[in-house]
Amino acid sequence: MTSVRNENMTTVSDEPRTATEIIARAKALAPVLRERSAEIEAAGQLPADVVELLRATGVHRMCFRREWGGPELTSMEQTQVAEALAYGDASAAWCGIIGANTGLLANFLEPDVVREVYPRLDTVTAGVLAPAGRADKVPGGFRLSGQWSFGSTIHHAEWVMSGAFVFENGEPYASPDGSNPHESRQFLVPQSKVEILDNWDTTGLRGSGSSDYRITDVFVPDEHTLTFDNPRCEPHPLAQPESFMRSLCGVPLGVARAALDYARECVLQRVDRMTGTDWADIWRVQVTLAECEADFNATRHGVYSAMTRQWEVLSAGGTLDDLTMNERAASPIAWLHAFRTSRSIVNRLYDLLQTWSIHKSSPMDRWMRDTATMCQNLSAQDAILESVGAYLLGRRPKFRICLGIVK
């Protein structure tokens, strides 16, 4: 049974409506995802039924605002969902959060377009926002071509959003306001018009299916394009240029929490074969576990503290410019720290458990590879530190969007 909301947009009667329900469903799904992690990894993408299990948690609809009948989770709640899913499987969580960004992208499209392209709140949009393509202006829109790398979730997406530089009459197109000598935009294309390249053969996150994809001379109407400096809704904390980057750091945090719990369980079962001493009584084991817990707690607190402060300012009607310089810089630094510290925690626990870690049957093997791979995402790269450092010194950041700066 379905109920119609906002004209064409529909929701199913048993879909979760609140953050509490979505978080609870994500936690309940985690053990199932853990059991199927090897299958997910071997498939190189999420199996179709796993996609539907994810969809049933509400993760794909959690970012749609209440105006659309969505649950409108805060950034903090979205991150909790990411943690819960990643506790089960990192690839599934990664795809879940990428798919959830659909509700955020909707804030930058005209309402009539949102109703047209997203008739269901759990419609999935994949794609790469970095401007790797070329879009030539033509009457009524653009002709888009290009090839993009790391299209996470693209195998089961309905739409693909891609960044491209704009050209007019063969020349780079400058923004009319003079803010950008070569404008770039985001272009929304049906997944059916996208060629997916089968080249996702990686160390970790293998189940995310983050293949390259190619678009060749596809017409994109004007109304199916967007820029992040032009939200098409009232001011809202989720209608910000960096909103789609916030909750992804919940994936490494969820993996680190899973590894910490697993390591503790292993330690409590193990006895040193040379001395007969319980591992739980060995100083090295105790210190390593405590150090990793300390790092996890501090890192997680940094993420939620920065995120909460930002949300407080934005939900009160303020803008990112109302944050202090340190408050604005805190979020991208916290994201990066979550990725890097989680990888460090997993690596130290991997070494702590020694031969218990090296077999493919051990989740530590997968967690080590998954965290190594996810740390190659832009959110964990020195470009973030460079940009934040430049901002703190009053210089122009190279990767401005991580600070919510689009011009």
Side-chain angles (χ1 to χ4, degrees):
M1 178 177 179
T2 61
S3 57
V4 178
R5 298 194 179 190
N6 293 294
E7 298 180 21
N8 296 332
M9 304 191 78
T10 62
T11 59
V12 179
S13 59
D14 65 346
E15 286 176 343
R17 301 285 198 271
T18 67
T20 300
E21 290 179 281
I22 294 172
I23 293 169
R25 290 193 184 196
K27 288 181 177 179
L29 182 60
V32 178
L33 296 175
R34 180 79 61 87
E35 290 177 1
R36 299 191 61 181
S37 283
E39 176 192 350
I40 291 170
E41 182 170 58
Q45 63 185 76
L46 298 188
D49 69 314
V50 172
V51 174
E52 294 310 311
L53 290 173
L54 272 179
R55 199 185 303 275
T57 67
V59 61
H60 291 150
R61 65 197 302 272
M62 68 179 179
C63 297
F64 270 99
R65 291 179 294 110
R66 293 187 183 93
E67 174 186 340
W68 297 112
E72 197 178 296
L73 269 64
T74 67
S75 296
M76 296 78 74
E77 292 163 343
Q78 294 170 34
T79 307
Q80 291 179 60
V81 174
E83 287 186 275
L85 293 173
Y87 194 85
D89 183 79
S91 291
W94 194 270
C95 289
I97 297 306
I98 297 297
N101 285 341
T102 299
L104 302 177
L105 295 170
N107 294 322
F108 298 89
L109 293 167
E110 291 288 355
D112 287 345
V113 175
V114 176
R115 296 185 187 96
E116 171 203 344
V117 301
Y118 301 137
R120 302 188 327 274
L121 294 178
D122 55 13
T123 301
V124 173
T125 305
V128 179
L129 304 183
R134 175 184 178 120
D136 287 282
K137 288 177 70 69
V138 296
F142 303 83
R143 305 296 305 189
L144 177 66
S145 295
Q147 183 169 322
W148 291 260
S149 297
F150 310 115
S152 301
T153 310
I154 196 165
H155 292 275
H156 61 267
E158 287 95 338
W159 291 89
V160 177
M161 183 77 78
S162 307
F165 286 105
V166 178
F167 290 80
E168 185 175 36
N169 299 321
E171 298 294 329
Y173 176 77
S175 300
D177 62 2
S179 62
N180 194 334
H182 195 181
E183 182 178 286
S184 65
R185 300 182 69 84
Q186 303 298 320
F187 297 84
L188 189 63
V189 172
Q191 192 251 35
S192 60
K193 296 184 178 180
V194 174
E195 178 187 1
I196 301 174
L197 307 179
D198 186 19
N199 63 350
W200 186 243
D201 186 13
T202 57
T203 301
L205 286 182
R206 293 174 62 87
S208 67
S210 304
S211 301
D212 290 9
Y213 63 92
R214 183 182 297 133
I215 297 173
T216 305
D217 195 32
V218 171
F219 175 73
V220 184
D222 282 320
E223 62 270 21
H224 285 196
T225 75
L226 62 85
T227 59
F228 289 115
D229 62 342
N230 188 24
R232 305 303 177 91
C233 62
E234 294 297 318
H236 192 279
L238 295 180
Q240 303 294 323
E242 40 59 78
S243 58
F244 61 91
M245 299 182 67
R246 296 175 193 165
S247 61
L248 195 60
C249 65
V251 179
L253 288 175
V255 172
R257 181 71 265 164
L260 282 162
D261 291 349
Y262 175 79
R264 192 184 307 174
E265 292 173 5
C266 290
V267 164
L268 290 171
Q269 300 172 28
R270 196 165 187 180
V271 176
D272 187 280
R273 288 180 294 180
M274 300 293 291
T275 65
T277 304
D278 287 346
W279 265 48
D281 293 323
I282 297 175
W283 179 87
R284 176 182 67 88
V285 174
Q286 295 169 343
V287 169
T288 299
L289 284 175
E291 286 179 339
C292 288
E293 283 285 352
D295 287 348
F296 176 82
N297 290 335
T299 300
R300 188 174 187 272
H301 176 77
V303 166
Y304 282 94
S305 175
M307 204 176 282
T308 300
R309 175 56 184 157
Q310 184 188 70
W311 191 271
E312 289 172 349
V313 170
L314 295 175
S315 61
T319 70
L320 292 174
D321 290 335
D322 293 316
L323 294 165
T324 69
M325 183 174 283
N326 287 343
E327 288 172 341
R328 191 165 185 173
S331 285
I333 290 174
W335 305 334
L336 178 142
H337 201 52
F339 279 91
R340 292 187 174 183
T341 303
S342 295
R343 175 175 61 178
S344 173
I345 289 170
V346 168
N347 287 347
R348 281 178 281 166
L349 295 176
Y350 184 99
D351 288 344
L352 175 68
L353 297 182
Q354 300 171 346
T355 54
W356 281 31
S357 298
I358 63 175
H359 295 282
K360 292 288 186 181
S361 59
S362 167
M364 288 303 306
D365 171 74
R366 184 175 301 109
W367 290 329
M368 181 186 69
R369 292 183 288 104
D370 284 344
T371 53
T373 298
M374 68 178 72
C375 277
Q376 309 318 308
N377 182 266
L378 181 58
S379 297
Q381 294 299 299
D382 285 346
I384 299 292
L385 296 177
E386 179 186 14
S387 297
V388 172
Y391 170 74
L392 291 172
L393 293 170
R395 299 299 190 262
R396 183 175 173 82
K398 289 184 179 178
F399 187 56
R400 295 182 293 280
I401 200 166
C402 73
L403 292 152
I405 301 170
V406 292
K407 292 186 178 180

